[in-house]
Amino acid sequence: MPDNYASVPLRELNNGAFMPSIGLGTWPLDDIQAGAAVAHALDAGYRLIDTAENYGNEEGIGEGIGSTSVPREELFITSKFNVQWHSVQGVQDAWENSCKRLGMEYLDLFLIHWPNPQEGNYVQAWEGLVKLLKRGRVRAIGTSNFTVGQLRELMDATGVVPDVNQVQHSPFWLNDERLAFHAEHGILTEGWAPLGRGKHDLLSSAPVLAAAEDHRVTPAQAVLRWQIERGVVPIPKTSSPERLAENLDVFTFNLSPEEIKAIDTLDGTADEPADPMSFGH
């Protein structure tokens, strides 16, 4: 077992599952790229792998997992489904499709990828996920890119709190109101594009460089540690074996409160994040 695997803390979710504190994002890798990245990631010690129907790489990820000797029970596999499945029966069909493509009998976490409020069916999609959870087809259920108001709707309609809300989160996009709501209700925040997608010079910004120099780590490691210190589970994407190992190695140092606050000052200094009220698939 890789040493890094043992060093990754687990986070307990509302419905009792345990999720690693960092994972591998796989968009926009294709089947071949994703399969190779996943195989390298599992060898490096990753156990949380994130994919989605819309990424078009579930089959490759399944093949990458199958090429390793990692036991299924050690893995935490997440997928997400598109708007055409936003109904109780549709979610069952989406689950079957994802499991078939991945070559698995169950998913660890299944998410509504975008709320698509113009369609108005995300509550029915949530009801479908609750049904899957009760039948033991998934270990945890959640949402992706949902607002506080939309999360309240789901909870009011079913009485079931999401395990996870996966959102665009980096020093540029904090959304403290949403993070506070998540914390209040025990919803784990999972961050996609945690390194800012390489835009706006995040990794060469002054507070990030200062923290990296102080702790003798890379700027990417400093930002990922900032995510973890803020209670967020980041899922950075990379296909480089060297960067895979570096991104996982963020549990041997802590940022100071002053360093965290300095990185926080980057909030609002880049383009607006994707708007879940108008964007989705």
Side-chain angles (χ1 to χ4, degrees):
M1 182 181 296
D3 291 339
N4 279 349
Y5 168 63
S7 71
V8 176
L10 299 177
R11 300 284 302 275
E12 185 172 7
L13 304 178
N14 273 326
N15 289 301
F18 287 85
M19 178 177 174
S21 295
I22 192 168
L24 175 70
T26 62
W27 184 88
L29 304 177
D30 62 22
D31 275 321
I32 294 174
Q33 294 168 328
V38 165
H40 287 304
L42 295 180
D43 185 58
Y46 287 81
R47 294 297 181 265
L48 166 58
I49 307 296
D50 181 85
T51 183
E53 171 190 8
N54 209 64
Y55 299 172
N57 60 20
E58 287 173 308
E59 289 185 7
I61 286 173
E63 291 172 2
I65 292 170
S67 72
T68 75
S69 59
V70 178
R72 173 66 182 92
E73 59 270 19
E74 282 188 14
L75 301 176
F76 198 91
I77 307 301
T78 301
S79 195
K80 305 179 278 290
F81 57 89
N82 288 347
V83 65
Q84 65 262 39
W85 310 108
H86 282 200
S87 66
V88 174
Q89 181 57 47
V91 172
Q92 320 302 306
D93 296 339
W95 173 85
E96 289 180 6
N97 293 339
S98 279
C99 285
K100 182 177 180 180
R101 288 188 292 263
L102 286 160
M104 297 180 176
E105 295 183 355
Y106 68 94
L107 296 174
D108 297 281
L109 175 63
F110 207 24
L111 306 177
I112 306 172
H113 202 158
W114 290 88
N116 292 280
Q118 66 278 9
E119 301 293 331
N121 296 322
Y122 53 80
V123 171
Q124 289 91 328
W126 184 244
E127 290 169 348
L129 280 176
V130 171
K131 190 173 181 180
L132 277 181
L133 180 68
K134 290 179 177 178
R135 291 170 55 203
R137 300 294 191 265
V138 292
R139 297 174 61 214
I141 56 176
T143 55
S144 183
N145 305 299
F146 272 57
T147 67
V148 167
Q150 290 162 346
L151 292 171
R152 287 189 190 277
E153 277 190 77
L154 303 184
M155 293 159 57
D156 290 345
T158 64
V160 178
V161 180
D163 287 292
V164 170
N165 189 25
Q166 185 185 113
V167 297
Q168 191 173 7
H169 186 271
S170 85
F172 294 137
W173 311 301
L174 299 187
N175 199 329
D176 282 328
E177 177 194 3
R178 183 164 56 190
L179 292 180
F181 182 84
H182 290 177
E184 179 185 354
H185 295 280
I187 301 169
L188 185 141
T189 306
E190 189 175 23
W192 62 268
L195 299 176
R197 288 184 169 176
K199 297 179 179 179
H200 311 296
D201 302 317
L202 172 63
L203 299 184
S204 59
S205 64
V208 169
L209 289 176
E213 182 178 358
D214 186 54
H215 296 280
R216 299 182 180 180
V217 297
T218 69
Q221 286 174 311
V223 173
L224 292 173
R225 184 65 210 179
W226 170 89
Q227 297 269 6
I228 289 163
E229 300 262 11
R230 276 186 142 266
V232 176
V233 170
I235 46 171
K237 185 274 298 179
T238 183
S239 57
S240 160
E242 180 181 38
R243 286 195 293 273
L244 280 167
E246 286 180 354
N247 289 349
L248 196 64
D249 187 19
V250 291
F251 298 99
T252 58
F253 67 99
N254 296 93
L255 301 184
S256 70
E258 293 74 22
E259 288 168 331
I260 294 171
K261 289 178 182 177
I263 295 174
D264 285 352
T265 64
L266 297 172
D267 185 31
T269 61
D271 294 343
E272 288 296 312
D275 181 5
M277 299 305 290
S278 59
F279 180 82
H281 40 65

